[in-house]
Amino acid sequence: MKAITEHGAGDRPTATVLQPGDEFARELGGGASPARRHFASAVPSASGCVVLAVVLFTQLAPFLAPHPVREVIGAPYAGPGEAGVLGTDYLGRDLLSRLLAGGRSLMLLAAACTIAAGVLGTALGLLLGYIRGVAAAVLNRVVDLFLILPPLVVLLVLTSGSARGTTILIPTIMISAAPYIARIVRTATLGVVRSPFVEAAVLRGESRRAILLREILPNIAGPVLAITGLLLIYSIFVIASAGFLGVGTQPPAADWALMIKENMPGVTLSPWPVAFPALAIIALAVSVNIFSDGLHRRIAGGRAGRDGA
Amino acid sequence: MRVARFLFLRTLGGLAMLPPLSVLVFAAIEVLPGDAAVYALAGQNPSAELMAETRHRLGLDRSPPERYLDWFSGLLQADMGRSAINGQSVSAVIEGRIGNTVILGVLVILLMVPLALAVGVFAGTREGRIGDRVFSLITLCLVAIPEFVLAAALIVIFGFGLKLLPATSIFPVEDSPLMHPTVLVLPVATLTLVAASGASRQVRVGVADVMRSRYVELARLKGLPERRVVLRHVIPNAVGPSLQVLAGSVGVVIGGSVIVETVFSYPGLGSALAAAVTTRDFALVEGIVMVLAAALIIAYTAADLAVSLLTPKLRTAL
């Protein structure tokens, strides 16, 4: 939620929706010196490297980890160096091994959720921006309805029954994120739907499907690409929060959010089992956000430059 | 008169969202797998008769639409039914905890609004300069971090490292959290940081926008000092859209309270909701979700009204 709303995209039912690229186009508008522009591109590049490193380490976890994730190697809450390199968790399992393995499911699941919610939201937004009349009004109200509840509340409603674990997270993220995506895509669609090339396609008698996919979609690719980064952050946020609330990844799996939850009661005995996974999530989320923000500016800046020429 | 009519219609429009929302929440819990009677008798290895009797007692043998109407008419009279797990009245549980969540939320909003406005105006009036870059990078980092991770980091630093503040916010049930101010510091700080960083980014965009407007240019050409330009020309024009942004962050505060209350074991509605999900207490889940939704709708509607009254050109014919 916060990841998506912070760029000014439709954060709530009646808010004025900003074009997602606007903020970045404007930010570039200020007379930045070459040195600052260099700085501005160095930070996103560095964070891109961090993302790559995290992905690499977690995907290689089975080969790098010194112990199996469920093996007890020493006393619970042993400090770094006392047992294992980083110490042990509340059951005496190796912290380093669990830390390496703990990001794998988070990242794979976040990627799956991003694709699923992105496709649904984009399709819905294209339709909402194109169709007119009663159907559009009704669909718009339904989308508004879904925008009321915060994503974590949606998550808790959907997981209050027996549907728990990682499979419920994909529909949860689709249901809670698609309306936001739809609003952004709808705004972008409304911006091009009156263009001469769309009217020409209508006059040529092309099908609605062809017009949406071949005429409109390529012309709003910028905003669609930009929201992919936001969706990824959002997915990481929801999946991690679900793990922490106990309705996502289930024990004894190694998972960063679950590690924070499990080791929190003993945080006053040993802070490391909480601190390391917290740092891992912070590193991943922050670097993904900075990288996607940089990419976003690049796209918006390129467009602004072309428009100005 | 027109304003009164406008106020009335807007409020009505907001409240009209509640019934369809209640259908959605009820239907979601109804459709998803999980039998309330099974959870109510968990660990008892019940006989078929006991099962049937429990289903009858909980009203599960009636049709879903019938039960929905029953539940919804109860909602209108502030009676949300009883928990199938422990027989407690849902309204009583909510009554006992809502005050704590309100205290948390109000403190966060009181701190967040000035903080978000100050940072947003500071960065927005220095667009592209070093002060803006630093604050933009900080808020960009903060908005990406999930609340529970930020809370965990604060607990490790202030609860364990510096031993300044308690790691959990547990206090006697009959007390108000205001009687134990130390338990409030970390939960309030976590939520304030998250909500304020997101809101300040949007305030910044609004302010930067106004800074580029013709009337600000004119004010500068008139030779007004920059301070006066910002105070008299930029802030009044940026405040309307900012209000909407700040109301939007009430959603962040309410969603975040679920997490933050759980992290700190703070006895509010959010931690009750998370606990109700763990014990599969459907009646309690439905009740708390509806209360949270009502609070959100009231906040959004109030903000809409304030924005519309401050900027007449936004008033739309309903």
Side-chain angles (χ1 to χ4, degrees), chain B residues 155 158-159 163-170 181-187 264:
Chain B
I155 288 174
F158 293 98
K163 301 213 187 318
L164 277 177
L165 294 162
T168 54
S169 302
I170 300 169
T182 50
V183 307
L184 277 166
V185 178
L186 287 182
F264 292 100

Side-chain angles (χ1 to χ4, degrees), chain B residues 31-55:
Chain B
V31 167
L32 287 165
D35 186 336
V38 174
Y39 298 131
L41 297 169
Q44 291 182 26
N45 196 13
S47 63
E49 294 93 79
L50 181 58
M51 197 72 197
E53 193 200 299
T54 310
R55 294 185 65 85

Side-chain angles (χ1 to χ4, degrees), chain B residues 212-231:
Chain B
R212 275 190 298 273
S213 67
R214 292 251 171 109
Y215 52 83
V216 167
E217 199 178 335
L218 178 69
R220 286 205 182 111
L221 290 173
K222 266 191 327 198
L224 289 185
E226 188 66 20
R227 195 185 157 78
R228 200 174 157 79
V229 172
V230 170
L231 285 178

Side-chain angles (χ1 to χ4, degrees), chain B residues 194-249:
Chain B
V194 169
S197 52
S200 75
R201 288 180 71 79
Q202 296 193 32
V203 173
R204 174 192 167 281
V205 174
V207 169
D209 222 23
V210 175
M211 288 290 281
R212 275 190 298 273
S213 67
R214 292 251 171 109
Y215 52 83
V216 167
E217 199 178 335
L218 178 69
R220 286 205 182 111
L221 290 173
K222 266 191 327 198
L224 289 185
E226 188 66 20
R227 195 185 157 78
R228 200 174 157 79
V229 172
V230 170
L231 285 178
R232 293 294 298 275
H233 295 268
V234 175
I235 292 180
N237 283 298
V239 83
S242 298
L243 262 179
Q244 273 190 322
V245 167
L246 294 169
S249 45

